[in-house]
Structure formats: C-alpha cells, structure tokens
Amino acid sequence: MTSTHIRPPVPLPPVRRLALADLPACLDLAADRGWTREKHKWRLLLTAGQGYGIDAPGDDPRGGLIGAYVLTSYGPRPGSPGSRAHTCVGMVLVAERHARRGLGRHLMRYALEESGDAVVFLTATSNGRPLYEELGFTAVGTTVMLTGRLAPARSPGPPVPVRDAVAADLPAVLALDARAFGADRAHLIARLPSFADHFAVAVSRAGPGGIAGFAAAWPNEGTTVIGPVVAEDETTARALITELASRTGGPVRYDAGLHHRGLVDWLRSGGLDGDFTTTVMVHGASDVPGDPGLRFAPYSVALG
C-alpha cells in the first residue's frame, strides 16, 4: 500500500505596523525593486498614514523588510451624512528575492481587513493590476506621469491671480478639497505648508477672501512634484501650475489624469513628456468619491 504525504501549507509571515524608525528599511526595500529612495515622501507617508511591513525571516542574511505598504485613512466628507470613510493603499512592495511567493496578496488582504467597512482605492501599475482585479478592485481612471522642464504658454484671456497661501486660507482650501476629494483629508492638507516648498492659491473673482483653487510643489529625489492641484476649472489649474513651475529651477513631475485631456496636451506642449500610465482602482464602491472635474493632480499617487 502506498501512502500519500500531503505537504502542510507554509504559514504566512506576520504583518506588523511600521513606525518612523522603519524609514531606512522602507527606503532599502524601495531601492531593492528599482524605485528611487524617496525619503521626503516616505516620511510623510509614515507619519500621515500607517505603514505595515513583513520582516525578513531569520535565514535571510540581508534582513530588513521584505514587504510593505502604507494605508492612509480619510474620514467621511464633513457635512455629508451619506459620505463614507475611505482608505488609500500606497507603496505596495515585495523584495525581489521573495517575489512570487504570495506576499503581495497577503499584504493586500491584510490591507482590506484593516480598512474594515471603508472604501479602498489605490493606483496600480500594470504589474500589480491583475492581483488587484483578482481581489475585487475595479478600474475607474488612468493617470500618466509627465516629467521635464516646464515652460508653458500662458492661457489666453485675463490672468488668474495666484499668490502664496496663508493661514487664513485654510478653511477655504479645506472646503474646496472636500468637494474635490469627497472625503476629509484635513490632516494631509494641513501638512502642506511644511511638506511643500511652495503652496499657492488662486484668488476667486467671485468675492474677497475666496479662492478658486490651490496647488503645491514639493521636492522628490531630483525633481519637483507639482501636486495636489485642485481648481474650479482648467484655466485656474493652468495658472497655478504655471506659477509653481516658474519657481522651480529644474525638472518637474506631474501626474495627470487622462480625463483632463486638454491639460495633458498643454503640459506636453510646455515641455513635459512621458507615457508611463497607472490605473486608479477602487474596492467596495463603484468609483472614488468627490468631483473629478476639480481634481487636476493628486497629492501623490500613493495618497490620491
């Protein structure tokens, strides 16, 4: 009689919460996958959101983290009883030497469990999209990353006044952002004055004290990222982008939603280029919240 031996399943490694002290390990993990060591951005993610990671097993001589992601939570939109909480999953990484062992799926299932009843969204590369679709995410938008030195032509018509943001602008900025984003991300917007090199608002023509948009520019490993950009219309968005681009002395990065085709064409005509696209995906709802017509650039693709 021949006996059949069934190999027991390999236990999944524990996922733990990360702290700011794990920042060097996160940068090492990113570099392992060929990503840049975006220290400034990772510091924001680990303080504004919650990082999760998997430590290398004892028999791995390299040690450190072998998997990680960051979960950023947003409350319901203020004053909207039917609004739901949302979470954004960003920076999903698995070390190359531990790839194809189910760790990415393990991390994402953990992220969904940690999100509870909240709607979950993320920005997926072509490599990650099949896994996210398998887990129930659906595609709702496309973003293209454009880089280069931006010298855009100014839009025709009267110029839109743009100035530096001041503390008194915060209530108006938060109100406009809540309309655009459909959730409460006040904890992120309040960090812009210290996180960004430049934080500007477009002055509304509707009356004194009002704003028609806001935008920021922040440093990221040899480039300046322009984002978020939230504006009442494309003309206002262009004015904000033009002002911020004029303050940078080097290349910029702009993550543009393809639903704003006119803006993408304008950015390309001003010197930006690129064809690397990512897909915005959502789990637990038919779409991300808010008004996409007001959203011209994310804070970061890892944050929405």
Side-chain angles (χ1 to χ4, degrees), residues 194-211:
S194 58
F195 177 70
D197 285 343
H198 305 288
F199 180 21
V201 296
V203 179
S204 173
R205 297 189 181 94
I211 66 166

Side-chain angles (χ1 to χ4, degrees), residues 153-210:
R154 292 192 176 269
S155 299
V160 176
V162 175
R163 60 169 172 79
D164 288 331
V166 297
D169 293 319
L170 185 58
V173 167
L174 291 177
L176 180 58
D177 188 72
R179 287 172 53 204
F181 200 70
D184 182 3
R185 59 174 186 172
H187 64 299
L188 270 178
I189 299 301
R191 293 171 184 265
L192 277 176
S194 58
F195 177 70
D197 285 343
H198 305 288
F199 180 21
V201 296
V203 179
S204 173
R205 297 189 181 94

Side-chain angles (χ1 to χ4, degrees), residues 113-167:
E113 291 176 5
E114 287 291 291
S115 297
D117 294 331
V119 175
V120 185
F121 68 99
L122 52 78
T123 301
T125 64
S126 58
N127 289 334
R129 180 171 174 171
L131 169 61
Y132 303 138
E133 289 176 337
E134 178 186 324
L135 294 173
F137 284 81
T138 56
V140 295
T142 304
T143 300
V144 61
M145 183 177 71
L146 302 174
T147 58
R149 294 180 181 272
L150 182 62
R154 292 192 176 269
S155 299
V160 176
V162 175
R163 60 169 172 79
D164 288 331
V166 297

Side-chain angles (χ1 to χ4, degrees), residues 203-289:
V203 179
S204 173
R205 297 189 181 94
I211 66 166
F214 68 90
W218 47 274
N220 193 45
E221 297 301 308
T223 65
T224 296
V225 178
I226 297 180
V229 178
V230 175
E232 296 281 3
D233 51 51
E234 187 175 312
T235 299
T236 302
R238 290 186 182 190
L240 286 162
I241 296 166
T242 299
E243 175 62 26
L244 292 178
S246 71
R247 300 184 186 186
T248 64
V252 302
R253 168 177 168 173
Y254 193 96
D255 295 292
L258 292 186
H259 59 288
H260 288 298
R261 293 282 183 178
L263 185 71
V264 173
D265 292 342
W266 176 77
L267 291 166
R268 291 189 184 279
S269 70
L272 298 193
D273 193 18
D275 56 8
F276 179 74
T277 59
T278 51
T279 304
V280 180
M281 307 187 77
V282 66
H283 184 285
S286 59
D287 204 345
V288 291

Side-chain angles (χ1 to χ4, degrees), residues 79-104:
S80 299
S83 178
R84 296 174 61 186
H86 284 69
T87 59
C88 180
V89 184
M91 312 303 280
V92 182
L93 283 163
V94 173
E96 177 64 35
R97 65 191 185 278
H98 290 274
R100 294 169 292 280
R101 299 182 184 180
L103 293 184

